[in-house]
Amino acid sequence: MKTITKKNLFFSILVINLLSIHGISQAGSFVFAREDPIIGTGAITHPPGYTGAGGILNIKVCIRPTSSFTANLEQATKNSIATWNEQKPTSSNLLNNLPDFNSIDAESVIVHEMGHCIGLAHPNLAVGGVSGIDRNYSSTTNGTDNIYNLDPGADGIRGSTDDIRGDDDNLHWFRISNNNPFSIASIIDSTTYSLDIVDLPSSHTSVANGDRLVSTLFSAPNSESVMQQESFNNEVQRTLTHDDVATLQLARSGLDTTAGNADDYNINLTYGGISAASDCNINLGFDNTKTGFAACEVSGTFLTEAPDRHISLFSTEIYLNDSINWHYNTDTPCSESTTVTENQWKMISLPCQVGISTSATVEGQFGDDLDVTTYGTNWGIWSYNPVTNSYVALSLSDELEEGVGYWFLSLTTSTIDIEGQYNTNIDVPLAADITTGKWNMIGSPFRLPTAWNTVKLVNSDGTLLDLTDADPVIGGSTACEDPIDISCSMASTAFSFNGTSYDALTPTTGNLDPFDAAWVLVYKSGLALRLQMNASELTAQ
């Protein structure tokens, strides 16, 4: 078996408003994909340990004991592991809320580098010979003329659907149905994602990537793929976008790139501590001789022959430079409290992201505030199953989710707190019934109020609907009023419980406050709810 090596050097720091790039970096949605007769542009790279067999792929991540400042890296490393395991697509994932404006967020960088070490590369044109804003173009080779053809098209935004790239060969896998990197298909394999620009939508001339400027074109502002090469002072980017998740899950469809059969796998990253153990698959730490900022150095082995190459990584090393002004998150930055009234039902939601730096279980979030020995007698939490139209009493070990509403009851007045990471936009799947509708219990995932009239519905094809699109006025009444019109997707009015009665949230009035939940009535299948983040949430500390 032939062994190949590659060094992916990551972006550097912002100095006097100029981005300094250290070293070189070859781009591509998968590490090793390139214009090479042996490897090829379609090469798919898999995490360490993958041999072609399906199942759970266990990957151990360790911090090198010989590195400096090892303890500072532990929380960020654990969080990054949980983020890649969770594989949750988000938007509005660019936050500017570090306590030190001039610092670089270590966790954001480690999430990116860990992505390289499980096989992903930059979706943008992070190559030598291309500089500045031109690096935002989507990843390609330089074609037969050996020149990168760079024309941003009519919209003037590099990396978007109307770029003109000449004979440059595409390296970025895109969603065939819409070429939208801020959406994700329900099935992710070579039937729904492609490298061939022949498969682009008819009006598109180029593959779009998950760049922050491109995000505005897809109504997903303040979003960027964590695998995009570039970072700035005072910027937090710790959650994955749809494109990050889709690329990883495409690799997970196995050697046949077909989802749902025996060679599919999933990853299970685990933290191995500060250790030099031989079974550590990804090793992380500071080494200023390896990089001026951050790098992932990988080696791989061919699993299949050309032209459809598959490569498995076997040596993966992350290096950071300790001279950078790093921000180390050693705590849980999001901590929000609310008071529950004695013997009063409350619809409740989670204003922080749980399951990353903190436990997602009922006991993990509420056990420090309420006596777990009296759970089920003095207090309890219930979820709602819209498919069966029934309530489910949660156990202490059940995990809670952001964006979902729960019923909460305590026989004593208590203060409860939720701790975790700052949330970003998430798409909450909705159950539906075309005839009678299905009630869904949704919750606010944010620390600040969210105006109900900013809510978006995400179609299965990635397009977005406003409330007035989902429930248009027809002949003096809305489409979701009886009799139901065919244009009805979801009733535009939601209902939140104030402790004694329900308040209506309409397209013109009403907010979902932190910890609030509400009922929505859904008729069209394949929808997800996206609560729009309050602009102040992006900078609030």
Side-chain angles (χ1 to χ4, degrees):
M1 302 181 80
K2 185 174 181 180
T3 298
I4 49 181
T5 62
K6 176 181 178 181
K7 189 182 225 181
N8 269 306
L9 291 183
F10 187 34
F11 49 78
S12 190
I13 57 176
L14 192 68
V15 181
I16 317 178
N17 294 326
L18 294 176
L19 185 69
S20 174
I21 305 295
H22 295 288
I24 60 172
S25 178
Q26 288 182 305
S29 289
F30 288 102
V31 173
F32 296 117
R34 63 185 71 183
E35 189 175 23
D36 183 290
I38 296 176
I39 299 175
T41 57
I44 293 177
T45 306
H46 301 274
Y50 181 63
T51 61
I56 302 298
L57 184 60
N58 292 305
I59 304 166
K60 191 174 181 179
V61 182
C62 301
I63 297 175
R64 288 186 289 271
T66 56
S67 174
S68 56
F69 310 112
T70 52
N72 292 344
L73 296 175
E74 285 200 278
Q75 189 64 56
T77 301
K78 292 175 183 177
N79 291 357
S80 300
I81 287 169
T83 295
W84 280 110
N85 282 340
E86 190 177 43
Q87 297 171 43
K88 178 183 290 184
T90 68
S91 53
S92 297
N93 67 330
L94 295 173
L95 308 178
N96 300 104
N97 55 8
L98 294 181
D100 178 1
F101 178 86
N102 295 311
S103 63
I104 297 287
D105 186 52
E107 183 176 328
S108 300
V109 174
I110 292 173
V111 169
H112 175 105
E113 296 301 339
M114 203 170 287
H116 285 320
C117 287
I118 56 175
L120 307 186
H122 303 128
N124 61 311
L125 195 58
V127 294
V130 179
S131 61
I133 197 171
D134 283 346
R135 288 177 175 266
N136 293 343
Y137 284 104
S138 296
S139 176
T140 65
T141 72
N142 59 11
T144 56
D145 63 4
N146 294 318
I147 298 171
Y148 287 104
N149 296 280
L150 306 176
D151 184 334
D155 63 21
I157 296 180
R158 293 155 175 81
S160 66
T161 62
D162 71 344
D163 291 355
I164 301 170
R165 299 298 306 277
D167 69 347
D168 298 351
D169 278 338
N170 175 52
L171 291 171
H172 187 285
W173 289 80
F174 61 92
R175 187 177 176 185
I176 295 170
S177 65
N178 58 13
N179 190 24
N180 178 353
F182 303 99
S183 71
I184 193 166
S186 57
I187 296 174
I188 301 170
D189 61 15
S190 58
T191 66
T192 54
Y193 287 79
S194 176
L195 274 179
D196 193 340
I197 61 173
V198 172
D199 294 326
L200 285 169
S202 59
S203 61
H204 296 191
T205 57
S206 184
V207 175
N209 72 70
D211 177 72
R212 66 187 66 196
L213 296 179
V214 175
S215 74
T216 62
L217 302 177
F218 290 99
S219 300
N222 305 304
S223 307
E224 187 168 79
S225 166
V226 298
M227 295 313 300
Q228 200 86 354
Q229 185 214 41
E230 199 168 47
S231 186
F232 298 96
N233 296 350
N234 187 38
E235 185 168 270
V236 173
Q237 188 184 13
R238 298 176 181 172
T239 64
L240 310 180
T241 64
H242 303 73
D243 188 54
D244 299 310
V245 176
T247 307
L248 175 61
Q249 293 189 1
L250 175 66
R252 284 177 38 201
S253 67
L255 301 184
D256 61 3
T257 64
T258 300
N261 55 26
D263 70 345
D264 294 7
Y265 64 91
N266 201 357
I267 61 170
N268 177 43
L269 297 169
T270 59
Y271 179 55
I274 301 172
S275 171
S278 59
D279 62 343
C280 295
N281 304 109
I282 299 174
N283 298 287
L284 182 151
F286 290 101
D287 189 334
N288 295 359
T289 67
K290 294 288 187 177
T291 178
F293 184 66
C296 174
E297 188 173 280
V298 299
S299 299
T301 300
F302 288 124
L303 297 176
T304 59
E305 298 300 320
D308 298 318
R309 285 290 198 187
H310 286 259
I311 299 165
S312 177
L313 300 179
F314 66 83
S315 174
T316 52
E317 303 286 336
I318 296 175
Y319 301 106
L320 306 174
N321 189 298
D322 65 19
S323 66
I324 302 300
N325 181 24
W326 296 108
H327 167 75
Y328 303 106
N329 51 315
T330 56
D331 56 3
T332 53
C334 183
S335 180
E336 300 295 317
S337 299
T338 190
T339 299
V340 292
T341 303
E342 174 185 350
N343 205 27
Q344 185 179 92
W345 288 97
K346 181 178 178 64
M347 292 177 74
I348 199 170
S349 64
L350 305 180
C352 303
Q353 182 188 17
V354 298
I356 300 297
S357 59
T358 57
S359 171
T361 66
V362 172
E363 181 174 7
Q365 285 298 325
F366 294 97
D368 58 337
D369 304 314
L370 301 164
D371 184 357
V372 296
T373 64
T374 64
Y375 185 71
T377 56
N378 286 1
W379 65 283
I381 301 176
W382 291 260
S383 64
Y384 177 72
N385 186 330
V387 177
T388 61
N389 188 28
S390 61
Y391 291 104
V392 178
L394 301 185
S395 71
L396 287 169
S397 61
D398 281 334
E399 293 193 345
L400 302 164
E401 299 179 67
E402 308 89 18
V404 176
Y406 299 93
W407 279 113
F408 182 92
L409 180 66
S410 174
L411 299 185
T412 59
T413 297
S414 305
T415 297
I416 57 175
D417 61 78
I418 300 296
E419 294 186 342
Q421 296 292 307
Y422 297 130
N423 263 322
T424 50
N425 275 347
I426 50 178
D427 298 339
V428 182
L430 299 171
D433 187 289
I434 191 62
T435 304
T436 61
K438 285 283 187 184
W439 288 102
N440 291 252
M441 200 174 178
I442 58 91
S444 171
F446 302 127
R447 300 167 293 151
L448 298 173
T450 302
W452 183 248
N453 61 12
T454 65
V455 165
K456 303 287 185 184
L457 289 172
V458 186
N459 277 310
S460 57
D461 63 2
T463 57
L464 300 179
L465 299 174
D466 294 326
L467 287 175
T468 52
D469 299 322
D471 191 9
V473 175
I474 300 174
S477 61
T478 62
C480 295
E481 292 182 61
D482 195 26
I484 306 301
D485 186 82
I486 192 173
S487 60
C488 164
S489 297
M490 184 187 85
S492 56
T493 298
F495 299 92
S496 61
F497 190 66
N498 61 25
T500 56
S501 61
Y502 283 100
D503 296 323
L505 307 175
T506 75
T508 57
T509 61
N511 292 330
L512 270 182
D513 292 324
F515 286 97
D516 275 358
W519 292 107
V520 293
L521 186 58
V522 185
Y523 291 85
K524 181 182 175 182
S525 61
L527 293 177
L529 186 80
R530 180 182 296 176
L531 293 171
Q532 297 293 90
M533 180 185 290
N534 185 314
S536 298
E537 190 96 24
L538 298 170
T539 56
Q541 295 183 8

